[in-house]
Amino acid sequence: MANEKLASIPSGFANDNALVSAVRNTYLSVLERREALGLSNPGTFENINREVQRDVFLTNFMFTGLRAEWNKPISNNPIFQLSHQLSMGAQGMSPYTFSALYGSSKVFLQGTMESDGSLVARSNYRWNDSLITKTNAQIQSGQSMLSIENDLSGKDFTASLKGMNPSIIEGGLKGIFIASYLQSVTPGLALGLEAVWQRVAMNSSPEALLSYGARYKGSDWIASLQMQTEGPQGSSMSSSYWRKLTDKVSVGTDLSLQFAPGLSGAGGLMGGSLQKEGSASAGAKYEFRASTFRAQVDSKGRLSCLLEKTILPAVRVTFAGEMDHLKQQAKVGVGVSVEAMSEDLMEQAEKGGVQAPSVPF
């Protein structure tokens, strides 16, 4: 788009104005070199280590207690689905949860209501192929949270701007604001940074943090590194490594280090000692014909595993377990998920007559 605008500048005006001509020629030269490199979109800075944290590790899959879920697809295009979930003995989960989901090529809507009155609403809107606006609102235990995020995706970069609980009604700006940018510099290497500015209340001083990130993608492996500059809680560094061993097996590791200022006189001279804390985690994911197994172990003595097994086309059973050797504790979870799809939708899915839209999740 910018290239077309610059190209549309009258050649006479560009030639007569030396500054405009220099800017135009430099910009077009940079564009040509970027296109010649064949760079691809690196994703968002927030998901710089997504293969490890979101695919291999059990962070988004682990649960305890008993859980039963019933999903009712209403339509494939646009996507419309209702869900009921019952849980017992699960930490942090409501006994009953109802959710509805709607998705088209431009809009994604999801609402969740729990038996204790908690409400979560998500809304994504795709303005064009490059810009998506995401809104998330939560009301829970008398507290509310609102976040608005805009993601701009180019051919070789992604820029994001996010605000959480923004407000100016108290005579000034408060909330949490996050701006990030991730740029591919070679076909395998991407570099980026993230800036955070927050003010909890008007009577408190604002705080700012800056993080740097790098991501390198090989033929069958991906490594990432993140470094956060010193803030009120100190500084931190984390690295992750993901590798695909076979078509069915992938592994990942994560190492995190935190440096926090200690108390004065606790062994240091000026300003106190430096407290250091680190943790390491390793996990593996095995994909079989009708099941998926994940396992994870960390330096704190915790061993976790999760097995998802499809016993029927519409029935999936999940077994989860965690053992903490240092605390001498064990947790177990069992879940059943049933998808009650109508015969018409099943026939459409088998014949491939209705293709699901590309939803802006």
Side-chain angles (χ1 to χ4, degrees):
M1 184 66 68
N3 192 1
E4 295 177 357
K5 290 182 178 179
L6 284 177
S8 64
I9 297 177
S11 58
F13 175 79
N15 294 332
D16 295 340
N17 192 309
L19 179 60
V20 174
S21 178
V23 172
R24 179 177 182 271
N25 294 336
T26 302
Y27 183 79
L28 293 177
S29 177
V30 171
L31 285 182
E32 291 177 359
R33 294 182 180 181
R34 287 171 61 178
E35 293 178 358
L37 290 174
L39 304 179
S40 60
N41 186 283
T44 61
F45 188 93
E46 181 182 7
N47 297 324
I48 196 171
N49 56 356
R50 56 185 176 273
E51 288 80 10
V52 175
Q53 296 293 339
R54 296 181 179 269
D55 188 40
V56 175
F57 283 2
L58 279 68
T59 307
N60 298 326
F61 304 95
M62 195 64 192
F63 68 97
T64 59
L66 302 178
R67 186 179 68 181
E69 186 175 0
W70 182 81
N71 299 316
K72 176 63 177 178
I74 307 298
S75 172
N76 287 332
N77 192 356
I79 298 176
F80 183 44
Q81 177 177 304
L82 302 178
S83 176
H84 303 268
Q85 180 176 292
L86 300 174
S87 61
M88 180 175 16
Q91 297 180 356
M93 296 184 63
S94 176
Y96 172 75
T97 302
F98 170 79
S99 64
L101 182 149
Y102 173 86
S104 65
S105 59
K106 280 188 169 294
V107 179
F108 169 72
L109 302 173
Q110 185 180 28
T112 302
M113 178 172 287
E114 300 180 352
S115 56
D116 59 358
S118 301
L119 176 65
V120 178
R122 295 177 57 197
S123 172
N124 297 352
Y125 185 80
R126 176 183 284 131
W127 300 94
N128 50 49
D129 294 339
S130 301
L131 181 60
I132 296 179
T133 298
K134 305 176 182 179
T135 305
N136 189 347
Q138 299 182 17
I139 301 176
Q140 185 177 12
S141 301
Q143 298 180 353
S144 60
M145 190 276 291
L146 173 66
S147 68
I148 302 174
E149 181 178 2
N150 291 282
D151 290 339
L152 178 63
S153 301
K155 291 183 179 180
D156 55 5
F157 74 92
T158 300
S160 178
L161 180 62
K162 183 177 183 180
M164 301 178 63
N165 286 341
S167 175
I168 58 174
I169 60 176
E170 297 183 11
L173 181 64
K174 72 173 186 176
I176 302 176
F177 300 90
I178 305 173
S180 62
Y181 183 84
L182 188 61
Q183 171 73 57
S184 294
V185 294
T186 69
L189 178 63
L191 303 176
L193 56 85
E194 181 182 70
V196 180
W197 184 93
Q198 63 177 354
R199 175 184 281 175
V200 180
M202 294 306 301
N203 56 2
S204 61
S205 59
E207 301 174 357
L209 296 174
L210 189 62
S211 301
Y212 304 92
R215 171 184 169 94
Y216 189 87
K217 182 177 181 181
S219 58
D220 58 355
W221 61 274
I222 298 174
S224 65
L225 176 66
Q226 290 179 275
M227 297 181 63
Q228 178 180 298
T229 57
E230 186 173 356
Q233 304 299 326
S235 58
S236 64
M237 180 180 68
S238 63
S239 62
S240 64
Y241 178 79
W242 175 88
R243 188 178 185 91
K244 195 172 187 65
L245 300 180
T246 67
D247 293 339
K248 303 294 184 181
V249 182
S250 57
V251 296
T253 60
D254 182 84
L255 175 64
S256 298
L257 298 175
Q258 293 183 350
F259 307 92
L263 298 177
S264 177
L269 297 177
M270 300 297 294
S273 62
L274 186 66
Q275 297 180 351
K276 294 171 285 186
E277 183 179 356
S279 62
S281 303
K285 175 185 176 182
Y286 298 82
E287 294 181 281
F288 302 98
R289 184 180 62 86
S291 61
T292 302
F293 177 77
R294 292 179 174 87
Q296 179 179 342
V297 61
D298 59 29
S299 57
K300 297 181 180 180
R302 290 180 299 187
L303 174 63
S304 308
C305 62
L306 184 137
L307 174 65
E308 293 178 305
K309 173 70 174 179
T310 302
I311 57 178
L312 291 174
V315 181
R316 185 177 72 252
V317 180
T318 305
F319 300 93
E322 179 181 284
M323 181 177 296
D324 194 325
H325 291 82
L326 297 182
K327 297 181 179 180
Q328 297 295 316
Q329 295 179 351
K331 302 176 183 178
V332 179
V334 179
V336 178
S337 178
V338 179
E339 187 170 301
M341 184 180 294
S342 63
E343 295 183 359
D344 295 338
L345 294 180
M346 292 182 63
E347 292 179 359
Q348 294 177 3
E350 292 176 355
K351 296 179 180 179
V354 177
Q355 298 294 332
S358 178
V359 181
F361 290 110

